[in-house]
Amino acid sequence: MPLPQLSLSLQFSDLTDAAAHRAALPRHKVTRWIRHALDGDGEITVRIVDAEEGQALNRDYRGKDYATNVLTFDYATEPVVMADLVLCAPVVAREAKELKKPLAEHYAHLLVHGTLHAQGWDHETSDEDAEAMEAREIEILAGLGLKNPYR
């Protein structure tokens, strides 16, 4: 079965260490990671932001006054998945270092995670939902040749 179609906008804010993040996020890989997580066609914007913008968005939209790794703003699931995925570069880099994972691999996981959120998956509703979402992420990442991010 062919992968879903994806219209992708990939944006980088003014980051102090933008080169490392751009190198970890080549457009063809971002497209591949997201397409593997989509159940249907999508129009997705991926924006890589600094800690200040990440914190402001998390505070203003979720009421949590700290920068988080990924925020998903979902607008529609049918007939096309429409969403913005906002990833906070310093948080992602710190987590990758703590997890002893390549930056690109952690970005892949978070893009899959955010894309699932855009389609209605939610790990905060119940333990069963969290287990189901993790299992789906592991399955998608394995199909991409990536390790289980929860080990």
Side-chain angles (χ1 to χ4, degrees):
M1 178 163 58
L3 289 172
Q5 295 295 307
L6 173 64
S7 173
L8 173 68
S9 175
L10 180 57
Q11 305 172 358
F12 292 85
S13 69
D14 189 23
L15 303 171
T16 55
D17 57 348
H21 296 278
R22 287 182 183 275
L25 292 163
R27 185 179 186 80
H28 70 281
K29 285 189 178 182
V30 172
T31 299
R32 182 171 181 257
W33 298 332
I34 292 173
R35 286 180 70 201
H36 274 80
L38 283 171
D39 292 328
D41 293 344
E43 294 178 11
I44 298 189
T45 296
V46 173
R47 182 164 170 79
I48 310 304
V49 301
D50 61 15
E52 183 180 340
E53 186 175 345
Q55 181 174 351
L57 289 168
N58 201 26
R59 180 188 61 239
D60 294 351
Y61 290 95
R62 296 181 66 226
K64 298 182 180 190
D65 195 17
Y66 58 87
T68 190
N69 53 17
V70 61
L71 292 167
T72 301
F73 297 93
D74 55 326
Y75 308 113
T77 55
E78 294 202 10
V80 173
V81 175
M82 296 176 68
D84 294 337
L85 305 180
V86 179
L87 292 97
C88 184
V91 173
V92 176
R94 185 191 76 237
E95 289 176 347
K97 185 176 181 178
E98 289 169 357
L99 295 166
K100 297 178 175 56
K101 294 171 64 170
L103 184 58
E105 190 174 310
H106 194 44
Y107 268 123
H109 174 217
L110 294 173
L111 286 166
V112 166
H113 183 87
T115 301
L116 291 179
H117 272 306
Q119 297 171 101
W121 292 79
D122 193 342
H123 53 86
E124 295 181 352
T125 49
S126 70
D127 288 342
E128 293 80 18
D129 288 346
E131 290 171 13
M133 187 169 176
E134 283 184 16
R136 183 67 181 125
E137 289 173 24
I138 292 165
E139 176 184 32
I140 292 165
L141 292 167
L144 290 164
L146 300 171
K147 297 174 192 167
N148 178 343
Y150 296 102
R151 286 196 179 157

